[in-house]
Amino acid sequence: MNTKTSQPIPGGEGCLVGALRIPVKIVALLVVLPVRVVWDLLAALGRLLYRHVIAPVLTHVVQPVLRALGWLVVTLVKLLFVWPWLGLWRYVLRPVGSWLYLHLLAPAGRLLYVYLLRPLALLTWRYVLVPTGRALIRLAEAAHRYLLLPLYRYVLTPLGKALAWAWRVAGIITGALWRALKWSGRVLIGWPATQVYRYVLTPAGHLVRAVWRPVRDTVRQVRAEVRRALFGTPPVEPARSRARTLGSTTAAGNTPAPEISLHERQG
């Protein structure tokens, strides 16, 4: 029994596609293949012609001919447009220009300078510039003599002296005002303040210190008696009570209390 099963046509092609494929292949074999063969033959023939015929012709015939034509065109252009003008400039215009400059323009320029420009410059210098300069100098001298000098002598100098005098007077007045203010400050503020400090504040401070000492001693004694009445033990003087009193060199109180805590005495 044959176990091989028939496989389906790839891509789901049917009978119509299979029937059309055969004529297409026949047309391709009869038309396309000959055309491709002819094309390949023509291409190979073209390469052979270019390599063995066209390239040598271009290299050995066409390029020399073109170079010769280019040289001929350049030579014709030079003959028609360059060399005539160059020859005209070299052999006609430059010699003629040199001759004209040496024999016509230079002598004409010298004659023009000698007989026209130089006399005109001398006339201008003598009759225009020199009188104008002298007039300006005289005008400056007149302005200095009749304007600037009187202005300096009769206006600026008195004004400067007046300003200097006013400056000195202002300095004197300012110094006097400053001394008056200093004296007023000493009399109205410094001296009363000194007297108040000397005769009021200092005695009041001594009085307060003298009153404060007995009051402080009394308060310390009352505090010690209160402690003794409450705890039945000698009072312990705190550390600040041993501080020096105001203006004295000994500790406050007559006899310092022993520094023994209440817990140690009860034990």
Side-chain angles (χ1 to χ4, degrees):
M1 182 176 179
N2 189 8
T3 58
K4 295 182 179 180
T5 60
S6 59
Q7 296 179 357
I9 298 174
E13 296 177 352
C15 298
L16 181 60
V17 176
L20 291 177
R21 182 180 296 175
I22 295 173
V24 170
K25 290 182 178 181
I26 294 173
V27 171
L29 289 174
L30 295 178
V31 178
V32 177
L33 183 60
V35 171
R36 177 61 184 271
V37 171
V38 173
W39 174 259
D40 291 339
L41 290 175
L42 291 176
L45 181 61
R47 287 193 296 270
L48 289 175
L49 287 175
Y50 179 79
R51 183 178 300 172
H52 298 286
V53 178
I54 297 176
V57 170
L58 290 176
T59 303
H60 300 289
V61 177
V62 176
Q63 290 181 359
V65 171
L66 292 177
R67 284 196 294 269
L69 288 176
W71 178 82
L72 181 61
V73 170
V74 172
T75 305
L76 290 175
V77 170
K78 288 181 179 180
L79 287 174
L80 294 176
F81 299 101
V82 177
W83 289 342
W85 294 103
L86 184 61
L88 181 64
W89 166 255
R90 181 177 296 176
Y91 299 107
V92 177
L93 295 180
R94 189 168 66 178
V96 171
S98 300
W99 185 87
L100 289 176
Y101 175 77
L102 292 175
H103 297 86
L104 182 62
L105 296 179
R110 287 194 292 269
L111 291 176
L112 183 65
Y113 173 75
V114 171
Y115 294 103
L116 180 61
L117 296 179
R118 185 176 179 181
L120 183 61
L122 291 176
L123 290 175
T124 304
W125 169 259
R126 181 177 298 175
Y127 297 105
V128 177
L129 297 179
V130 173
T132 303
R134 290 175 180 175
L136 292 176
I137 293 173
R138 291 174 183 176
L139 180 62
E141 292 177 352
H144 178 267
R145 179 179 298 177
Y146 298 106
L147 180 62
L148 297 178
L149 190 61
L151 180 64
Y152 174 77
R153 183 178 297 173
Y154 300 108
V155 177
L156 296 179
T157 300
L159 182 60
K161 292 180 179 179
L163 291 175
W165 177 82
W167 182 264
R168 289 195 297 271
V169 171
I172 294 172
I173 294 173
T174 304
L177 289 176
W178 177 247
R179 289 191 295 271
L181 288 175
K182 290 172 64 177
W183 180 83
S184 300
R186 286 197 301 268
V187 172
L188 298 177
I189 298 175
W191 185 81
T194 303
Q195 300 302 317
V196 169
Y197 176 78
R198 181 178 298 174
Y199 297 106
V200 177
L201 296 180
T202 301
H206 290 298
L207 179 62
V208 169
R209 185 173 60 185
V211 172
W212 170 251
R213 286 179 181 178
V215 172
R216 185 187 59 190
D217 295 338
T218 303
V219 170
R220 187 180 294 118
Q221 292 176 3
V222 170
R223 186 173 56 186
E225 293 297 334
V226 170
R227 287 187 178 182
R228 189 179 297 111
L230 292 177
F231 300 103
T233 57
V236 179
E237 185 180 6
R240 60 184 179 181
S241 65
R242 295 192 302 272
R244 295 182 182 275
T245 60
L246 181 62
S248 64
T249 59
T250 59
N254 296 325
T255 304
E259 296 181 357
I260 301 174
S261 63
L262 179 59
H263 180 70
E264 293 177 352
R265 288 186 177 276
Q266 290 178 358

